[in-house]
Amino acid sequence: MTSQRTHYCGELRAGHVGQEVRLCGWVHRKRDLGGFAFLELRDREGVVQVMIDPGAAPEAGAAAKEVRPEFVVRVEGIVASRGENVNPKIPTGQVEVHARNLEILSRSKPVPFPMEDQIDALETTRLGFRYLDLRRPALQRIMMLRAKAARVAREALAERGFLEFETPILTRSTPEGARDYLVPSRISPGSFYALPQSPQLFKQLLMVAGFDRYFQLCRCFRDEDLRADRQPEFTQIDLEMSFVAADDVMAVTDELLARVFRDTIGFEVPRPIPRLTYADAIRRFGVDNPDVRYGLELIDVGDVLGKTEARFLREPFEAGGRIAALRIAGATFSRKELDELNEVVKPYGAKGVANAKLAGGAWQGGLAKFLGGEPGAAFAQRTGAADGDLVLVVADADPDTASTAAGRLRQHLARRLGLVKDASWGFTWVTEFPMFERDAATKRWAAKHHPFTQPLREDAGLLESDPGKVRAQAYDVVVNGVEVGGGSIRTHEPELQGRVFRALGMDEAEAQRRFGFLLEALAHGAPPHGGLALGFDRLVMFLAGTDSIRDVIAFPKTTRAACLMTGAPAEVDEAQLKELGLAYKGSRGGSPES
RNA sequence: GGGGCGGUAGUUAAGUUGGUUAUAACGCCGGCCUGUCACGCCGGAGGCCGCGGGUUCAAGUCCCGUCCGCCCCGCCA
């Protein structure tokens, strides 16, 4: 294999018996019986037992006395059958290596946690010794899985005629979207580069340049607060195509996802991946990233309950809000459990969850007094409630709040009721996103996807009159209720792009200042084009079956965007700041005093 | 920016109503052991109870502040 070794530890099998081998690896465990000693030797492919008989190999016996866990050693010897002493727990368990020679290549201090899959070390400890954490078989498997997924994606795209590009990491800040990471310029004091939130504009420019099909496994940077599935720097499979409609991009993505899932974990993604419009997603699931592995869909009951005596329903409805119901067949919830549902919904801005249960043809529960006679019958019919069914109701004057709360309630109930089967998969596209949404702070329209997205042609006329109604040629792909990718057809006509900028409250001068280079490019023969980006880390999370993004990134950061191993971010020398023309106001390491 | 949980030997945890010398397991060190495989047996060492302040005769324990980690909302595509 190399000049130093002939095999991986983990690859030895009964077929190797009798062969002379040289192995290099880490001492996983030592069992010293006083005479014989056994070492478990580990490398990335697995573990194999090494037997040391000091009678047969005195020097190896002496070396074995010194060996401790995680020492790096080289073993020379003969692969032998273990006969009666097979270890069925490990793939190499039928054989062992009878050492003729044992050489210590490197020593190890005692390690803070064992190199095993099941460890109880806190994440702080693991991240502080990430190189040891990564040495554990579980993370070795994930990192190899990640490498394979990347390779498969590259192959699949290359076969489809996509060209791999690199785009700048030091680029220009574009105030749209997330907060930028900034890099000061030494040569132009007071000026800054930004790290890319995505290579969006560059890939469009590559289309203008005529490359037709682009892809990149690119690092992206966003200076926002972190979550279990969000890191400040993450990787996307980014692609862009010319002369395409949304259907074409989605078809390519279907194929790409299918290849990655099949060639890594052997799962067949159903093709084509079903599609759902944004409006339908909100109506049926309350959220734009629905988990489609189970039903329990939302039912609109505004016209049924919006006129009853119940003020907490009538007032929101008359104010233009939404009343959504969830029917749970034959459910039994205690009073306490029903109360707890209020807490599920409150973080999303809803007031609470009302309930009614159909029993013996009559409604019981909090809503019962509003459900006598005709309204009660209509409610039963609309929700399809049968005897013994529980119906939960969420209402809010802001339809988005009602939808989100009901949608999150749906997810909560699905988990609680065990509706999500392990190892099941739900893929869906969500299409026709709104072009704009109100910025909560400024009350202005903001691009929901990004400002280069093309409106649906039939909605373009509303850009000036009713921007809120304009739908975009934008699409997200959602797996098990997690957005794993999204993209759009871009605007390739400068005139239309200008109208979008104006809808965003950006005048000609500002648009020119920020995106002049793009508008100029669009004015020099831009092909119709569109693309998409997949969150590669999230994809690997699914393939690996983990719910922490830190498990799929070799050197991840904490929720405060720090690296516990290197200590980044860290203070720098005054001289470095001076060279950059920077001075820091406030207490160093803490938050700045304004 | 807001809410929740956590921080005690190398590691993971226990620590009652504030009360004597802060426990346990694993790991570590020394000794014994020729078929172990989470080897076993005997012995031993190891503590800034995150940090700072306060209350008290007395603080791991109560109070205030602060730092760090994880989860969620806002934010983020």
Side-chain angles (χ1 to χ4, degrees):
Chain A
M1 198 164 73
T2 69
S3 62
Q4 306 259 316
R5 57 176 170 173
T6 59
H7 295 77
Y8 280 117
C9 300
E11 68 175 300
L12 296 182
R13 295 291 183 275
H16 293 94
V17 168
Q19 283 189 33
E20 183 82 18
V21 296
R22 231 178 317 156
L23 305 175
C24 293
W26 285 260
V27 174
H28 189 55
R29 250 187 272 280
K30 178 171 84 163
R31 291 179 287 274
D32 186 348
L33 273 52
F36 286 171
F38 297 94
L39 300 184
E40 285 181 28
L41 195 60
R42 188 193 69 242
D43 59 29
R44 74 177 214 199
E45 299 299 327
V47 170
V48 70
Q49 175 163 282
V50 175
M51 201 263 296
I52 291 138
D53 178 357
E59 285 179 18
K65 289 288 173 204
E66 274 190 65
V67 157
R68 295 288 179 276
E70 299 312 310
F71 276 30
V72 182
V73 300
R74 178 165 47 226
V75 168
E76 290 177 19
I78 291 190
V79 181
S81 167
R82 289 181 62 169
E84 301 287 295
N85 296 311
V86 164
N87 182 352
K89 290 183 202 163
I90 55 176
T92 62
Q94 295 210 310
V95 299
E96 64 188 3
V97 175
H98 290 181
R100 198 181 59 232
N101 204 358
L102 172 66
E103 186 183 352
I104 294 173
L105 301 178
S106 181
R107 290 161 192 271
S108 173
K109 299 206 277 190
V111 289
F113 47 82
M115 299 301 115
E116 289 161 14
D117 284 355
Q118 298 296 325
I119 58 169
D120 45 17
L122 295 178
E123 198 157 4
T124 320
T125 311
R126 291 174 49 197
L127 291 178
F129 295 90
R130 186 60 168 177
Y131 41 87
L132 296 180
D133 200 23
L134 286 167
R135 204 133 96 187
R136 295 164 49 233
L139 286 194
Q140 296 249 315
R141 280 195 296 274
I142 291 177
M143 292 305 142
M144 290 192 275
L145 179 65
R146 182 180 174 116
K148 182 158 193 190
R151 201 189 73 215
V152 170
R154 282 199 165 91
E155 283 170 4
L157 289 167
E159 283 170 23
R160 280 283 165 192
F162 285 83
L163 303 173
E164 185 166 4
F165 275 84
E166 291 162 279
T167 52
I169 293 294
L170 295 175
T171 181
R172 183 189 171 118
S173 175
T174 54
E176 288 289 331
R179 194 177 294 115
D180 283 322
Y181 276 100
L182 297 177
V183 178
S185 163
R186 173 182 59 83
I187 293 167
S188 302
S191 290
F192 294 81
Y193 301 96
L195 306 183
Q197 298 176 26
S198 82
Q200 181 59 37
L201 296 175
F202 291 104
K203 67 177 178 176
Q204 291 190 240
L205 296 173
L206 289 168
M207 294 302 102
V208 176
F211 287 106
D212 192 66
R213 291 185 171 209
Y214 143 99
F215 87 98
Q216 179 176 196
L217 269 70
C218 59
R219 197 70 63 86
C220 303
F221 306 85
R222 292 177 190 164
D223 186 4
E224 296 292 346
D225 287 346
L226 305 175
R227 288 286 192 286
D229 61 353
R230 283 185 352 211
Q231 282 275 299
E233 51 179 309
F234 60 98
T235 303
Q236 288 187 340
I237 305 177
D238 191 42
L239 60 91
E240 193 79 4
M241 311 163 73
S242 291
F243 309 112
V244 289
D247 278 349
D248 300 298
V249 180
M250 289 191 269
V252 161
T253 306
D254 283 1
E255 187 184 332
L256 173 60
L257 285 171
R259 276 282 290 276
V260 170
F261 273 79
R262 186 198 311 132
D263 292 355
T264 52
I265 61 169
F267 176 74
E268 289 295 334
V269 175
R271 278 199 285 162
I273 292 172
R275 298 181 191 180
L276 193 61
T277 64
Y278 174 87
D280 282 342
I282 299 296
R283 187 172 55 78
R284 292 171 55 191
F285 304 105
V287 293
D288 64 7
N289 55 345
D291 190 335
V292 294
R293 287 176 294 177
Y294 51 89
L296 199 67
E297 296 189 13
L298 313 193
I299 306 158
D300 271 302
V301 294
D303 54 327
V304 177
L305 298 184
K307 300 181 184 69
T308 63
E309 293 303 305
R311 274 183 54 205
F312 64 97
L313 298 176
R314 194 182 69 229
E315 287 177 1
F317 182 67
E318 286 174 351
R322 180 178 187 189
I323 310 178
L326 288 158
R327 180 180 65 89
I328 306 163
T332 309
F333 281 61
S334 70
R335 178 67 182 262
K336 181 165 172 256
E337 288 169 326
L338 288 170
D339 277 349
E340 283 165 0
L341 297 180
N342 293 322
E343 303 311 312
V344 174
V345 127
K346 279 179 183 165
Y348 303 97
K351 305 286 186 296
V353 180
N355 67 84
K357 183 170 178 136
L358 199 55
W363 289 103
Q364 301 176 344
L367 280 173
K369 60 178 172 245
F370 309 110
L371 292 175
E374 182 59 30
F379 186 61
Q381 193 187 359
R382 172 65 57 83
T383 58
D387 220 49
D389 289 0
L390 173 70
V391 182
L392 301 172
V393 173
V394 176
D396 200 90
D398 174 18
D400 292 338
T401 299
S403 296
T404 303
R408 298 297 175 187
L409 179 64
R410 171 178 175 268
Q411 289 172 351
H412 172 85
L413 292 168
R415 267 198 306 278
R416 189 186 170 290
L417 298 169
L419 300 182
V420 188
K421 293 185 192 72
D422 283 347
S424 66
W425 297 92
F427 287 76
T428 188
W429 283 103
V430 177
T431 64
E432 297 179 16
F433 274 76
M435 188 77 188
F436 307 105
E437 62 189 348
R438 287 275 187 200
D439 185 294
T442 63
K443 301 285 185 196
R444 299 213 312 201
W445 291 108
K448 190 164 175 74
H449 186 63
H450 56 59
F452 318 109
T453 300
Q454 185 174 146
L456 274 183
R457 302 309 278 200
E458 67 252 46
D459 290 357
L462 300 169
L463 272 174
E464 289 75 18
S465 57
D466 195 356
K469 284 222 163 59
V470 177
R471 289 166 297 171
Q473 299 186 51
Y475 32 81
D476 278 1
V477 61
V478 175
V479 181
N480 295 359
V482 175
E483 181 213 325
V484 299
S488 63
I489 299 301
R490 328 298 182 189
T491 299
H492 65 283
E493 301 127 305
E495 187 268 338
L496 181 58
Q497 184 65 66
R499 288 171 63 199
V500 170
F501 283 147
R502 275 193 294 281
L504 290 165
M506 221 185 288
D507 62 25
E508 186 66 26
E510 191 179 3
Q512 279 297 334
R513 187 173 58 80
R514 287 187 183 180
F515 303 114
F517 64 101
L518 177 73
L519 294 169
E520 189 68 5
L522 296 182
H524 284 86
H529 62 285
L532 149 146
L534 294 169
F536 184 62
D537 310 282
R538 287 184 184 178
L539 222 45
V540 179
M541 285 171 68
F542 278 118
L543 300 174
T546 177
D547 51 15
S548 169
I549 197 172
R550 294 181 296 278
D551 286 343
V552 302
I553 294 176
F555 299 103
K557 293 183 174 59
T558 68
T559 51
R560 289 189 77 250
C563 173
L564 295 184
M565 192 180 58
T566 62
E571 294 176 14
V572 297
D573 292 342
E574 276 302 327
Q576 285 177 281
L577 289 178
K578 197 175 173 193
E579 196 168 40
L580 293 165
L582 297 178
Y584 184 72
K585 294 182 175 179
S587 59
R588 295 196 117 202
S591 47
E593 308 152 29
S594 58

